[in-house]
Amino acid sequence: MEQRKFIVSRILAQLLPVYSVYLFMFRNHGLSMTDISLLMGIWCLPGFLLELPSSILADLGNRRNLMVAGLLMEASGFAAWALFPSFPGYAAGFLLWGTGESFISGTAEAWLYDSLKTEGREDTFDRMLGRSEFASSLAIAVTFMAGPPLSRLHETLPVWLSVGFLLVAALLMASLPERNLYRGDRTGIRMKDAMDTLRTGVRFCTRHAVARILLLLQITLLTLPEVLDEFDPLLAGAMGVPFLVVGLWGAIRYGLTAVGGIAAWRWKKLFAGKGKNGFTPILAAGGIGCLLLLLSAVFPVLPLLPAYGGFYLLLSSARVLHADVLQATVTEEGRATVQSLANQLVMPSAVGMFALIGVLGDQGVAGAQGDPMRAVRWLAIGMLVLIPGFVLLRGSRDNKAG
């Protein structure tokens, strides 16, 4: 079944032992928290510039080929890190990595949904996406443990292994059939088609009440775990996790993320009939998760590490539920374009969070390395303040629908 081959490719694309060691690699080459945060901002730049053009290309062109190109770009980015271990080399790698992600972002979900719709099984999208997220997170968990020991053998060994897995993933992705119901019988890409697709997507995102709330959720609540994920080894260290155990912790954390993804449908079932637009389970999972994050940030001690992990578990469920509601809401609009319009708005939000972590992290009181938990506390509080607003928006929308 083509969906299984798709999931296997996604697994291979996440077998990246570099994940658990690249922050330490940056530190070993003299980068500060501000430097690292700047690199994270550079990473977001391609997404901001290319997210929409690549999504339009995905809706009007070949989604499979675009995903293959994205995987090759990511492999090239990691190779740049190994070949040029300096701030310019790391910046070039992040630009390539970000470009590859912009090609895949939105495209993968659109391909999967249309693949299922071709078989008349689009109602299983949430479970299939949950399985994909579960398998991908388990892959990260496995390679997270391997990162520190491999880096002890040679600093660049985890980097080159990551490049190899991405190349294999690209080969497998290239063997998939193309699935694009929006394109239909159109051949080639005309400027008029591109502008029509963009105009339709923008109209949907700005005029559809459910879509507007989903966009707000994505650029705030659902962006937070993606940002903190990049600082996780440092955050775990701030809670007392030793360097050689960071890989094991990463494996556990991604295991929790995997469980959250595959269990998302249970939240949906638990809150069935409560609210007309599917927001209730998203807000419930996200709110409880942020409370756990705040607890672990206020008291950054090893016994509260499970609370920190619980944040990722619950936000993983919220992300799958959010994607399910968004894809079900899209009708005639280009799926990849709508998803990427949302991702486009994520970029400024992520850059702001990176900047906050960088500034407050370097101003901390935990010695030369700073206190990254200081920014996490403020971010968690901010999300908890926003969630009641989403509840009010949801209630207003439900009343209008009624």
Side-chain angles (χ1 to χ4, degrees), residues 134-336:
F134 175 78
S136 297
S137 296
L138 284 185
I140 298 175
V142 170
T143 53
F144 227 90
M145 288 189 292
L150 288 171
S151 69
R152 292 289 188 181
L153 296 175
H154 194 282
E155 185 182 57
T156 60
L157 184 56
V159 185
W160 287 118
L161 285 174
S162 300
V163 172
F165 282 122
L166 283 166
L167 293 177
V168 176
L171 286 174
L172 185 58
M173 190 71 76
S175 69
L176 290 172
E178 167 62 347
R179 291 289 179 252
N180 190 337
L181 299 179
Y182 178 79
R183 184 181 60 185
D185 297 328
R186 283 177 288 196
T187 58
I189 301 176
R190 298 178 301 171
M191 181 58 69
K192 180 180 183 299
D193 292 335
M195 294 308 298
D196 287 345
T197 301
L198 177 60
R199 192 178 302 112
T200 301
V202 171
R203 185 183 304 117
F204 173 79
C205 291
T206 55
R207 297 184 182 179
H208 198 291
V210 173
R212 288 199 300 269
I213 300 176
L214 289 171
L215 288 176
L216 290 172
L217 280 168
Q218 183 156 346
I219 66 175
T220 52
L221 183 65
L222 299 182
T223 299
L224 181 58
E226 304 297 326
V227 169
L228 295 185
D229 176 70
E230 303 307 321
F231 292 94
D232 178 69
L234 297 181
L235 298 178
M239 296 190 72
V241 178
F243 171 72
L244 286 178
V245 188
V246 165
L248 176 60
W249 158 246
I252 294 171
R253 182 173 67 83
Y254 277 104
L256 293 171
T257 301
V259 172
I262 202 168
W265 68 274
R266 295 187 179 276
W267 283 90
K268 184 177 178 180
K269 184 178 180 181
L270 179 65
F271 289 94
K274 297 180 180 179
K276 300 178 182 178
N277 299 305
F279 295 130
T280 303
I282 301 173
L283 295 173
I288 296 172
C290 286
L291 282 172
L292 292 176
L293 177 65
L294 180 60
L295 177 65
S296 61
V298 172
F299 305 103
V301 293
L302 203 56
L304 284 179
L305 196 62
Y308 176 57
F311 161 75
Y312 286 99
L313 185 152
L314 292 170
L315 268 293
S316 177
S317 291
R319 194 172 75 83
V320 171
L321 292 165
H322 177 275
D324 181 49
V325 175
L326 180 61
Q327 293 294 334
T329 303
V330 176
T331 52
E332 300 301 323
E333 302 77 17
R335 295 188 182 281

Side-chain angles (χ1 to χ4, degrees), residues 54-130:
S54 64
S55 67
I56 293 172
L57 186 61
D59 282 329
L60 297 178
N62 190 298
R63 290 171 176 168
R64 178 199 59 200
N65 291 346
L66 196 61
M67 289 189 287
V68 171
L71 291 169
L72 294 176
M73 293 292 286
E74 290 184 18
S76 300
F78 290 137
W81 287 0
L83 295 172
F84 308 102
S86 61
F87 185 89
Y90 297 143
F94 270 118
L95 285 173
L96 289 166
W97 188 6
T99 300
E101 285 195 323
S102 70
F103 286 177
I104 298 170
S105 173
T107 308
E109 291 86 350
W111 184 95
L112 179 59
Y113 193 91
D114 279 357
S115 173
L116 292 168
K117 193 170 184 178
T118 300
E119 300 174 3
R121 298 192 300 125
E122 64 269 25
D123 59 328
T124 65
F125 176 78
D126 59 333
R127 295 200 184 193
M128 191 62 69
L129 182 62

